Amino acid sequence: MSTIRMAPNDRTSDALLPGNRVTDENAQNTMRMAKTQPSESEQDYHIPIRNTHTYPLLQGMAHATSVVVAAAILALCFTNTYFQDLTTPNINSILNAFQFVARFHELLVGASLTAVVTYYLRSFLVAEQGLPLGYVTSAFQLSSPQSLFSKEFWAATTSYTSTRRYWFGGLVLLSVAIAALIGPSSAILIIPQLDWWPIKNDIAFSGTGGFSWVNSSYESVWPTVVDASLINKNCSVLALGTNRACPYTNMVNVQNWVNDYMADFAAPNFTVTEDSGASKYLTASKEPRNNGYSIASADMSFLSRSLANLWLYGINSHFEYANVGRPMITAEPYDDRSLLKPVMQVQCSRPQDISNGDNITMTFNTSSLLFKTGGKINNISRVINATDFQSEDSHIRFGWVDLRADSKNLTLGALIAATFNNPEKLFPSSEGNSTRALYACVVKPYWVPTTMSWDPTTTKTLISNDQDLHNITTNQDLMRMARDLIIDPSFADYLNADISGEYFKNVMEFELSRFSFHAPFFDGNWGTDWQWLFATTISLQLTDAISRISHNQSIYVFNQTTNSGNEASKKNIKFLNDIYHSVDAVPKDYPNMIRNNPEEYFPIQWKFEQFGYAWGFDRITKVLASIVLLTHVAVVFVHFGIVWRKKLRFDSWEGLADFMTLAMQSPPSTILKSASAYSKDSIYAEPVYIRESDNGCSAILAMDEDSKEGLRNRLTVGEKYQ
């Protein structure tokens, strides 16, 4: 049974999509009233286009869920949220689970992009100008970047005259790019990364604010001139190595390195144990040797001790912090005044034979020394009375030389005499089995900016952030911030104080004598290696001595802990009393005291970190990944804004299969009758439309709207179609 489907009388141009063309409304209505149609009980009629703010449920869920997941990921990264320690049980299984989350988010974004693109595909197809045929298939290949290079896509983009091609083509291009990048981007951001991550100072250290104050002026801690007045009054050469504040504390360590080098060519890099269980590196350059140049460095002893005590202070002030798997504390400058460490350059010249003659002209070679200005200075020549160095009562004779009268840039030098066998290796014209040789060395130190870190759960060794010593002096930016360090001969003389009752005259002789423990006399076969050995020994000893001049400095922490925090710190107050002060011990006007006397104190910034898995933007790849996610979120928000303004909802033709069905149900196009889509690429540039059929009761896919076959009507919003 069939009935006549009458066209509604109010089907006027204002009920159509914008731009509907009905050239003769009465003729069109008369024609449609004459059409016979199946009854609605026999055929399925539905409304493909609605005028409403509502949105399809499943598509809306894809949009909303993908945006919520992206927002949660970015929030975790922006806040540097810590996840788990490296030692957490089953951590690998947990991380694998995040890969499934990343894959799920990738699928959500793909569904969201498809919904966006197909919405505008249908919107353009039902509009007046239509859309190129090539775009119809491209809209359903977003997961395939190869589609951007297909003949369909480029024919539609380059040949179609309407500006819509740029709008829709750009949307397809952006969607394909997002779809291709969203997988790795989600994985990069969702899966926590193993690295060092910051710890909030106010929680970890109970109100320290992340910095402490040294109870001394900047100049006092890192003075320009180091003289004997800075040596601890309790230092005594009769108790070598027992007082860590004394300049020759690590003489034994240097001696041990000499032994190891003579036996196994050990590198001049070893740890020095300080108070509070902390250690630091005392290290010198191993190369080059041929010019007798050595450079050594070590961090300040009081900072090494302070890092260790700050850690103890923190875990006693805040019990939860003691459970951190692997923490790290880093000392950094708080203002424009950098933390400094001594860098000691020493260069020893080629030897002179002093077996005969009293007055010898010695050359203090400066060719390898590096200066803040980047320039060089001339070598220094001086006539030396060699009498005191000719005596062979001991293999080694050592003495400091005051160079202030010879150069404004250099203040300290040294002379070292030794007896060598095989002298022809050093002096080809020498005769006899041995000879006495004299080396001239020059010292050029600097205070160089540094930052340092301490990991109390591993080696407990203070790590300087610039380990390559040659890079320190060749780094022009770093050297411009370096400060002059002048070692007064009085400090050097005390360092080389006499040792009563010993066979050797003084400390440096006692130390350098270790070279001869493996042979009755020095062996000339080592040639220029002796220059480097002498320079390295001096640089190590001087560096360690300078690093101890502020050994007894105290660190103040202005603490605002809770009562429980105070009780925790009191449990260890005996150990911390000489360095840290609890709230009860700090003067009540402590903040004003520092504020009113800034020249008497200076701050040290502490950075607290922990090693484990967390979310954050610590790498450029994460920043790029976040841009991909934010681009998709922006596309979704712009899309919803347009949908809200247009008030159009499509409930048909959601997939490629729907369009294929629609095409199969449509009458043949005159264009397709005269051209082969397989032989002519231009067919993909032809516009296609979704229009009413001739009887007006169904929708068809048309390519010849303006042809002489007849002018087809655009679909009406809210109308039912088959």
Side-chain angles (χ1 to χ4, degrees):
M1 177 178 181
S2 62
T3 59
I4 300 297
R5 179 173 177 265
M6 305 294 295
N9 292 330
D10 60 349
R11 197 182 209 184
T12 59
S13 59
D14 58 352
L16 300 176
L17 290 173
N20 188 14
R21 293 183 303 101
V22 181
T23 57
D24 189 340
E25 184 176 355
N26 292 331
Q28 293 288 342
N29 288 337
T30 301
M31 178 185 68
R32 296 185 57 163
M33 292 173 63
K35 307 289 184 183
T36 58
Q37 303 180 15
S39 67
E40 295 189 12
S41 60
E42 297 176 350
Q43 295 291 337
D44 181 20
Y45 285 85
H46 64 283
I47 302 175
I49 311 175
R50 300 177 185 272
N51 192 331
T52 177
H53 285 308
T54 62
Y55 200 82
L57 178 61
L58 293 179
Q59 295 180 18
M61 290 178 61
H63 293 312
T65 307
S66 62
V67 170
V68 169
V69 172
I73 297 170
L74 294 175
L76 291 172
C77 293
F78 274 117
T79 55
N80 285 331
T81 303
Y82 191 78
F83 179 57
Q84 293 290 340
D85 291 336
L86 178 62
T87 56
T88 300
N90 301 318
I91 186 63
N92 290 331
S93 299
I94 298 173
L95 295 177
N96 290 336
F98 280 110
Q99 296 183 11
F100 288 98
V101 178
R103 178 57 177 165
F104 176 68
H105 181 247
E106 179 185 0
L107 295 175
L108 288 175
V109 172
S112 172
L113 292 172
T114 300
V116 171
V117 174
T118 55
Y119 177 87
Y120 295 104
L121 173 66
R122 292 173 289 181
S123 179
F124 290 156
L125 288 175
V126 301
E128 180 180 357
Q129 294 181 338
L131 204 64
L133 176 62
Y135 281 151
V136 176
T137 55
S138 297
F140 298 99
Q141 301 181 69
L142 301 183
S143 61
S144 175
Q146 293 88 339
S147 65
L148 298 179
F149 304 95
S150 65
K151 58 184 179 180
E152 303 95 62
F153 180 80
W154 283 105
T157 303
T158 58
S159 300
Y160 189 51
T161 58
S162 172
T163 56
R164 281 183 201 276
R165 61 174 176 169
Y166 300 116
W167 202 105
F168 190 78
L171 177 62
V172 172
L173 179 63
L174 178 63
S175 300
V176 170
I178 296 175
L181 298 175
I182 195 64
S185 298
S186 297
I188 289 172
L189 293 175
I190 291 177
I191 301 175
Q193 299 297 311
L194 182 65
D195 209 333
W196 290 100
W197 300 96
I199 302 173
K200 293 182 179 179
N201 300 330
D202 55 343
I203 296 177
F205 284 84
S206 307
T208 63
F211 65 91
S212 303
W213 295 88
V214 178
N215 66 329
S216 186
S217 67
Y218 192 76
E219 178 63 28
S220 297
V221 177
W222 291 291
T224 301
V225 179
V226 176
D227 56 26
S229 65
L230 298 177
I231 296 177
N232 191 292
K233 62 181 181 180
N234 295 321
C235 290
S236 171
V237 294
L238 298 179
L240 292 175
T242 60
N243 189 338
R244 298 186 187 279
C246 296
Y248 35 73
T249 296
N250 283 310
M251 186 189 71
V252 175
N253 287 328
V254 178
Q255 289 177 349
N256 291 336
W257 166 74
V258 171
N259 280 337
D260 293 339
Y261 182 83
M262 297 291 290
D264 301 312
F265 297 98
N269 184 5
F270 46 88
T271 57
V272 178
T273 303
E274 302 291 352
D275 299 331
S276 309
S279 299
K280 67 176 184 180
Y281 284 115
L282 175 60
T283 182
S285 58
K286 189 174 182 180
E287 300 291 346
R289 301 182 193 171
N290 57 354
N291 58 357
Y293 174 80
S294 177
I295 179 172
S297 179
D299 288 306
M300 300 297 285
S301 294
F302 88 98
L303 286 178
S304 177
R305 184 194 65 220
S306 298
L307 279 170
N309 283 323
L310 184 67
W311 168 246
L312 294 174
Y313 175 83
I315 62 176
N316 282 283
S317 298
H318 197 276
F319 293 114
E320 295 181 4
Y321 195 67
N323 298 323
V324 175
R326 185 181 176 187
M328 177 176 284
I329 307 172
T330 302
E332 298 177 324
Y334 180 78
D335 51 24
D336 58 351
R337 297 176 294 180
S338 301
L339 303 180
L340 304 174
K341 66 177 179 180
V343 171
M344 201 71 52
Q345 300 179 87
V346 178
Q347 183 172 4
C348 293
S349 306
R350 296 183 67 87
Q352 292 285 337
D353 188 345
I354 60 170
S355 299
N356 301 305
D358 296 333
N359 295 323
I360 304 296
T361 300
M362 297 297 299
T363 299
F364 294 82
N365 189 3
T366 62
S367 61
S368 297
L369 300 181
L370 300 173
F371 298 85
K372 284 201 308 181
T373 59
K376 299 287 185 180
I377 64 172
N378 296 328
N379 295 340
I380 298 173
S381 295
R382 176 181 287 192
V383 177
I384 301 296
N385 188 335
T387 304
D388 293 338
F389 293 94
Q390 289 173 342
S391 173
E392 298 187 11
D393 292 342
S394 64
H395 299 307
I396 288 287
R397 283 299 179 206
F398 178 90
W400 295 110
V401 179
D402 188 345
L403 297 177
R404 287 177 292 185
D406 301 276
S407 173
K408 64 179 182 180
N409 295 303
L410 301 171
T411 60
L412 187 64
L415 291 172
I416 305 172
T419 301
F420 286 88
N421 62 359
N422 298 316
E424 67 279 1
K425 300 297 182 180
L426 295 175
F427 312 110
S429 61
S430 177
E431 298 180 358
N433 296 326
S434 65
T435 190
R436 192 74 167 172
L438 183 64
Y439 291 82
C441 304
V442 64
V443 179
K444 181 56 184 176
Y446 280 110
W447 291 117
V448 176
T450 185
T451 58
M452 58 209 73
S453 303
W454 190 62
D455 182 354
T457 61
T458 54
T459 61
K460 295 185 178 181
T461 300
L462 193 69
I463 301 173
S464 180
N465 293 348
D466 192 341
Q467 292 294 305
D468 192 328
L469 294 172
H470 286 294
N471 284 347
I472 293 177
T473 50
T474 57
N475 187 328
Q476 292 298 318
D477 293 334
L478 191 66
M479 289 303 293
R480 274 193 291 267
M481 297 185 291
R483 298 185 64 214
D484 289 322
L485 171 57
I486 300 173
I487 301 177
D488 189 272
S490 64
F491 180 86
D493 287 339
Y494 197 95
L495 173 63
N496 198 37
D498 291 342
I499 303 177
S500 177
E502 294 288 345
Y503 176 73
F504 302 101
K505 180 181 178 182
N506 50 43
V507 173
M508 291 299 293
E509 288 184 7
F510 181 47
E511 191 165 320
L512 292 170
S513 69
R514 307 294 289 186
F515 290 140
S516 64
F517 279 15
H518 293 271
F521 297 94
F522 286 89
D523 191 345
N525 287 317
W526 276 35
T528 57
D529 282 3
W530 291 113
Q531 296 168 239
W532 176 80
L533 286 170
F534 292 148
T536 301
T537 304
I538 296 173
S539 65
L540 288 171
Q541 188 61 71
L542 277 176
T543 297
D544 187 70
I546 296 295
S547 71
R548 299 182 177 278
I549 60 174
S550 302
H551 183 83
N552 292 330
Q553 293 292 345
S554 298
I555 303 294
Y556 287 153
V557 174
F558 182 56
N559 188 10
Q560 297 175 337
T561 61
T562 60
N563 290 333
S564 60
N566 289 336
E567 291 301 321
S569 63
K570 287 179 181 178
K571 292 181 179 180
N572 209 29
I573 195 66
K574 182 178 180 181
F575 183 79
L576 298 172
N577 188 55
D578 62 334
I579 302 167
Y580 293 99
H581 295 257
S582 66
V583 173
D584 297 334
V586 174
K588 295 181 180 180
D589 63 345
Y590 183 74
N592 290 328
M593 183 172 62
I594 294 177
R595 189 178 300 111
N596 297 331
N597 302 279
E599 70 283 353
E600 298 181 10
Y601 304 87
F602 75 91
I604 295 178
Q605 181 80 41
W606 306 104
K607 182 172 68 175
F608 306 99
E609 298 173 293
Q610 54 187 336
F611 190 71
Y613 293 95
W615 294 277
F617 291 113
D618 59 320
R619 299 169 187 169
I620 187 62
T621 53
K622 292 190 176 183
V623 176
L624 297 176
S626 67
I627 293 175
V628 175
L629 266 66
L630 289 173
T631 302
H632 168 253
V633 172
V635 168
V636 171
F637 277 100
V638 171
H639 169 64
F640 271 102
I642 295 175
V643 171
W644 183 266
R645 181 177 60 84
K646 294 183 67 172
K647 295 177 59 176
L648 288 180
R649 168 176 166 175
F650 295 93
D651 291 328
S652 297
W653 320 305
E654 296 180 355
L656 184 59
D658 295 334
F659 277 91
M660 294 178 63
T661 302
L662 182 65
M664 294 170 61
Q665 295 175 350
S666 303
S669 169
T670 57
I671 297 177
L672 292 178
K673 290 179 181 179
S674 60
S676 173
Y678 297 101
S679 60
K680 295 184 178 180
D681 295 346
S682 61
I683 196 68
Y684 297 115
E686 293 294 329
V688 295
Y689 318 86
I690 294 180
R691 294 292 186 260
E692 287 185 350
S693 62
D694 292 338
N695 60 11
C697 64
S698 62
I700 63 172
L701 194 64
M703 294 186 67
D704 50 1
E705 180 189 23
D706 296 324
S707 67
K708 295 181 180 179
E709 298 291 330
L711 301 177
R712 301 187 184 280
N713 287 326
R714 294 166 58 190
L715 273 62
T716 305
V717 176
E719 183 71 21
K720 285 186 177 181
Y721 293 93
Q722 184 179 357

